[in-house]
Amino acid sequence: MPRPTQNRRQPMKDSDDLRRVRDEDPYFAGTLAKGLLILQTFVSDPRAHANSEFATKLGLPRPTVSRLCRTLLAMGFLDHDERLDRYFIGPAAVALCYPYVINTPLLAMLRPAMQQLADRIEGAVSVGVTNDLDVVYLETCAHEGGTLKRPGVGAVRGIVETAMGRAWLAQLPAGERQEFLARVKRERPEEHARCLEGVRESVANYGKRGFAINLGDSGFGVLAAGAAARVRYGPRRLLFNCAVPGFHWKKSQLLDTIGPGLVQLVGAADRQSGLR
């Protein structure tokens, strides 16, 4: 059996994608993947779903969906509302994430410095990793009296929408970056159009500044700086984001104060791991 590698990971959203991957890889477990597709539905649409909705969205036969949901329910990955006859995500799915989060490298050491920076700027400092076209947040330290909405553990944002995602893009070889952006344009055209100028600005200036920026084009009304650590969690770099309310800060302050403060934090992380 061939060894799995990060490069083998392929985006899958429905039964057509599953068939494509199964045709390419005889070791691919299609039934398992179908169950995971059901769970994955809640990432983009966290409300409760009926069997018929899963079947339509994923292109799966309704009897197959019914069996999969019953199995996931028995294992605690789904819960069922009998009154509505709909499924929602179960506690076992939350528990499954816990080992990944608590093993984030250096997080316990960095949390005080993250909180200190968040308090100083009256914003939020987060750490995350990439997953396909998105960034997944693993931790956020926020100013207690701030007005900024705090992205919780497991929150998902598009890579091109976030300063930390743009920092990751700036580290890619030019060819890989263009391939990635072409895929975003194909699969998320509105997101690509809204963020492309900001992505280009960040990539062009990352080497000089040491951080990427977001001037509110993600649509959340925030300004942010992002930097990629050299520290890795498995095959993925740790990415750091520092966000502040857009009505309270200006671009000049983002460039002169917030970004450099984040670079210091990321530099400390790299030094702690012996990478600088």
Side-chain angles (χ1 to χ4, degrees):
M1 181 182 297
R3 293 178 59 190
T5 68
Q6 181 69 11
N7 291 335
R8 289 185 181 274
R9 189 195 187 287
Q10 299 190 49
M12 286 171 275
K13 298 186 289 295
D14 54 33
S15 59
D16 289 338
D17 291 334
L18 294 187
R19 280 191 290 270
R20 170 178 52 80
V21 177
R22 190 168 54 212
D23 289 345
E24 296 172 357
D25 184 356
Y27 296 99
F28 181 76
T31 301
L32 172 61
K34 291 173 185 176
L36 294 175
L37 278 182
I38 289 175
L39 297 180
Q40 187 174 284
T41 300
F42 292 95
V43 175
S44 58
D45 190 357
R47 63 185 177 83
H49 293 268
N51 277 347
S52 58
E53 292 177 289
F54 288 129
T56 300
K57 183 178 181 64
L58 302 176
L60 298 173
R62 181 116 177 234
T64 299
V65 170
S66 179
R67 290 194 300 272
L68 291 169
C69 286
R70 287 179 67 88
T71 303
L72 292 168
L73 177 65
M75 298 182 69
F77 289 99
L78 290 179
D79 274 340
H80 184 250
D81 187 319
E82 293 185 4
R83 182 177 59 87
L84 298 174
D85 193 21
R86 289 173 180 266
Y87 291 94
F88 53 97
I89 201 73
V94 179
L96 192 61
C97 301
Y98 184 67
Y100 189 88
V101 173
I102 64 170
N103 286 305
T104 304
L106 302 176
L107 186 56
M109 286 185 192
L110 293 173
R111 195 176 284 114
M114 290 171 63
Q115 186 63 58
Q116 185 178 41
L117 179 56
D119 289 339
R120 189 166 80 240
I121 63 172
E122 298 185 1
V125 179
S126 304
V127 60
V129 292
T130 59
N131 181 46
D132 197 24
L133 299 182
D134 297 307
V135 169
V136 179
Y137 285 73
L138 303 181
E139 176 78 4
T140 295
C141 294
H143 177 58
E144 187 171 332
T147 60
L148 194 68
K149 184 176 181 181
R150 172 180 183 156
V153 175
V156 174
R157 304 281 188 271
I159 285 175
V160 298
E161 292 184 306
T162 65
M164 70 164 82
R166 295 172 186 183
W168 175 79
L169 281 170
Q171 306 298 303
L172 291 181
E176 291 183 27
R177 183 166 56 247
Q178 291 307 313
E179 288 180 10
F180 179 87
L181 291 174
R183 189 173 152 227
V184 175
K185 183 178 182 179
R186 184 171 62 251
E187 298 186 22
R188 300 181 182 179
E190 187 278 333
E191 191 174 297
H192 179 272
R194 174 163 45 83
C195 298
L196 182 59
E197 183 178 346
V199 168
R200 287 174 171 167
E201 197 279 344
S202 283
V203 169
N205 292 288
Y206 191 85
K208 176 178 64 178
R209 295 173 181 157
F211 57 90
I213 63 172
N214 183 325
L215 298 178
D217 52 62
S218 61
F220 295 103
V222 300
L223 303 182
R230 296 173 66 190
V231 181
R232 292 186 177 271
Y233 190 176
R236 309 172 201 274
R237 284 190 178 208
L238 289 187
L239 307 174
F240 290 82
N241 210 69
C242 191
V244 293
F247 65 84
H248 187 63
W249 291 82
K250 299 178 181 178
K251 178 182 177 181
S252 60
Q253 295 170 302
L254 186 71
L255 296 177
D256 296 339
T257 302
I258 297 173
L262 185 65
V263 170
Q264 289 182 355
L265 176 67
V266 173
D270 288 343
R271 286 191 296 273
Q272 288 281 356
S273 64
L275 292 172
R276 285 187 180 178

